[in-house]
Amino acid sequence: LFSPPIFYVIKSTWTFPHSNLQDMYMHWHCGDYQNRISPMKYFQNTDVSFLGKRARMNLNEVKNLMATIDEEATRKGKVPAPTMTLNQAAACFQAGVTGFKFSATTPTGKSRNIMRLKWSTLTKYNKQHEVKAEEGPAIDPEEKARQEFVEISPDDPPHDNMWYEHDDGVKRRVPSTYKFPMLGLEDMYVMWHCGQEEAKIAPMKIFQSTDFQGSPMVKRGKTNLSEVRTIMTLIDLAAAKKGMKIKPIMTESEARECCREGHTALNIPVSSKEGKSRDILKMKWSSASRLKNKGDDDGGDGDGDGDGDADDTAEAEAKKAGGESDAEEAEVEPEADPEDDTLADLELPEAEVDV
């Protein structure tokens, strides 16, 4: 009983579960016996109204997700019953979960495990799929890239000879379906200096902001390129200071060696505020961009070489070397923060940084 005295099927201390999809399906059909919560399929909006408007929206979204699973399970002969055991609900879930249609991989190429997805994340994917269905059949990005690729000309320099002709007739260094890579710092450095030969993408260091015009899938291409250029140039300067050769054309092993020598210039703390250690070379480049020079709080000098000579102009030199300008940045609209680290991998953005 609450005050005012209205009876609910849930406790006043209950909070809306933000569990993964399978656990939510169990809550939906079987409830939470341990905490004496009824199956959520019997909930009404009034039962969650004490949690506010968002809870009522959550209940409606979950209801739609569960209906999709139940319909697919029924189609496959696993009909959900009014009352089910956990084993029966699990069998229905396994049969019905394939009712969702979305990519099995993230924008960065990682496998996506639907069992681990939060139901709220899947809600967003489902909405995106519905929008795309209304827009018409999806275009295969790889096929589109093959169609746009321009045959290599012997007149082009060997490190800058891969071009894509977009629908507007302009040749650019990336296809119109290109997604800006959210890689680890070291892998991004390799891509910066070496490109992606298999994917027919030139080294990113020769990209121009105009290469992202006409690419609707890159919402933040110019800003991303500017941020990557800054941290890559900082690494280059520090690696060169330590005697490494920053060549116009580098092999992957050469690039990795330079990155390992120069990444300390970013002056990123080696541990988080909670005391967890960081593998800086593997952290997303977007996280490295955000955390660079945070080590100054610990008495670092900012240049990563431990010699105590604070290099206050290092980042300014990096931006100057990268050819950045305030005018160019002003053209770019800021991107909204992703819902969680998944959406940083989903377009969805592991910060995991997100695009």
Side-chain angles (χ1 to χ4, degrees):
L1 293 180
F2 289 75
S3 181
I6 301 173
F7 181 73
Y8 292 80
V9 295
I10 52 180
K11 302 175 183 177
S12 61
T13 56
W14 185 81
T15 57
F16 206 100
H18 288 279
S19 54
N20 61 45
L21 184 63
Q22 185 170 14
D23 288 344
M24 178 55 80
Y25 192 80
M26 300 300 140
H27 282 302
W28 185 256
H29 281 289
C30 304
D32 184 353
Y33 180 80
Q34 184 176 1
N35 292 308
R36 299 182 180 181
I37 301 297
S38 302
M40 289 182 66
K41 62 185 174 183
Y42 299 122
F43 283 16
Q44 302 296 323
N45 282 339
T46 52
D47 294 320
V48 297
S49 60
F50 70 97
L51 293 173
K53 181 180 178 180
R54 180 65 251 184
R56 295 193 294 272
M57 294 173 65
N58 285 345
L59 183 61
N60 186 57
E61 290 172 353
V62 168
K63 187 180 295 185
N64 291 334
L65 291 177
M66 300 302 110
T68 299
I69 298 174
D70 288 348
E71 288 172 8
E72 181 67 11
T74 301
R75 192 181 69 81
K76 293 183 177 179
K78 296 287 184 180
V79 183
T83 303
M84 292 197 289
T85 65
L86 290 174
N87 287 337
Q88 290 171 333
C92 288
F93 177 80
Q94 293 292 338
V97 72
T98 54
F100 296 107
K101 307 297 181 185
F102 65 95
S103 175
T105 57
T106 67
T108 55
K110 294 181 181 179
S111 297
R112 188 179 277 138
N113 186 350
I114 191 172
M115 303 300 182
R116 294 178 59 188
L117 282 179
K118 297 283 181 65
W119 68 261
S120 53
T121 302
L122 190 60
T123 295
K124 186 180 67 173
Y125 288 146
N126 216 33
K127 288 179 179 177
Q128 289 177 345
H129 175 71
E130 290 172 0
V131 170
K132 289 179 180 178
E134 292 175 1
E135 293 174 348
I139 300 174
D140 181 7
E142 293 184 3
E143 178 60 30
K144 182 68 171 175
R146 282 193 290 269
Q147 293 173 3
E148 293 179 346
F149 186 71
V150 178
E151 290 298 322
I152 295 175
S153 170
D155 299 329
D156 292 331
H159 65 287
D160 190 15
N161 58 2
M162 290 180 278
W163 295 88
Y164 295 84
E165 186 172 343
H166 290 211
D167 292 339
D168 59 5
V170 178
K171 293 181 182 179
R172 299 182 175 92
R173 293 180 178 86
V174 295
S176 60
T177 54
Y178 184 74
K179 297 180 182 180
F180 203 98
M182 302 304 292
L183 305 175
L185 181 62
E186 184 177 357
D187 289 339
M188 194 66 184
Y189 188 86
V190 171
M191 187 170 179
W192 181 257
H193 281 287
C194 306
Q196 293 174 294
E197 188 172 354
E198 290 185 4
K200 296 182 179 179
I201 300 294
M204 192 172 281
K205 63 184 176 183
I206 61 176
F207 282 14
Q208 302 296 323
S209 60
T210 52
D211 290 320
F212 297 106
Q213 292 177 357
S215 297
M217 300 182 76
V218 180
K219 300 178 182 178
R220 208 170 168 258
K222 292 181 181 180
T223 301
N224 285 343
L225 181 63
S226 175
E227 292 174 355
V228 169
R229 192 183 301 279
T230 296
I231 58 178
M232 297 300 139
T233 307
L234 284 170
I235 295 173
D236 285 348
L237 292 172
K241 186 176 179 180
K242 292 183 179 181
M244 303 300 298
K245 262 193 170 182
I246 310 300
K247 303 176 182 177
I249 302 176
M250 299 172 71
T251 64
E252 180 179 338
S253 60
E254 289 172 337
R256 291 191 184 278
E257 188 177 1
C258 286
C259 185
R260 289 164 188 165
E261 288 293 328
H263 78 277
T264 52
L266 301 180
N267 199 24
I268 297 172
V270 295
S271 60
S272 66
K273 292 180 180 179
E274 294 77 23
K276 295 181 180 179
S277 59
R278 288 189 176 111
D279 189 338
I280 296 174
L281 290 173
K282 290 184 179 180
M283 72 163 45
K284 292 287 191 292
W285 68 261
S286 53
S287 298
S289 179
R290 176 172 51 85
L291 293 171
K292 70 179 184 299
N293 294 328
K294 296 294 185 182
D296 289 337
D297 298 336
D298 300 325
D301 62 10
D303 62 1
D305 58 9
D307 57 9
D309 57 334
D311 187 0
D312 296 332
T313 61
E315 189 167 342
E317 291 178 7
K319 290 184 177 181
K320 183 178 179 181
E324 296 181 18
S325 68
D326 294 336
E328 181 181 77
E329 290 303 310
E331 298 175 2
V332 185
E333 295 182 3
E335 183 184 48
D337 290 337
E339 176 185 287
D340 49 39
D341 50 330
T342 13
L343 292 179
D345 277 340
L346 290 165
E347 293 258 323
L348 278 184
E350 157 215 29
E352 280 309 342
V353 182
D354 17 77
V355 191

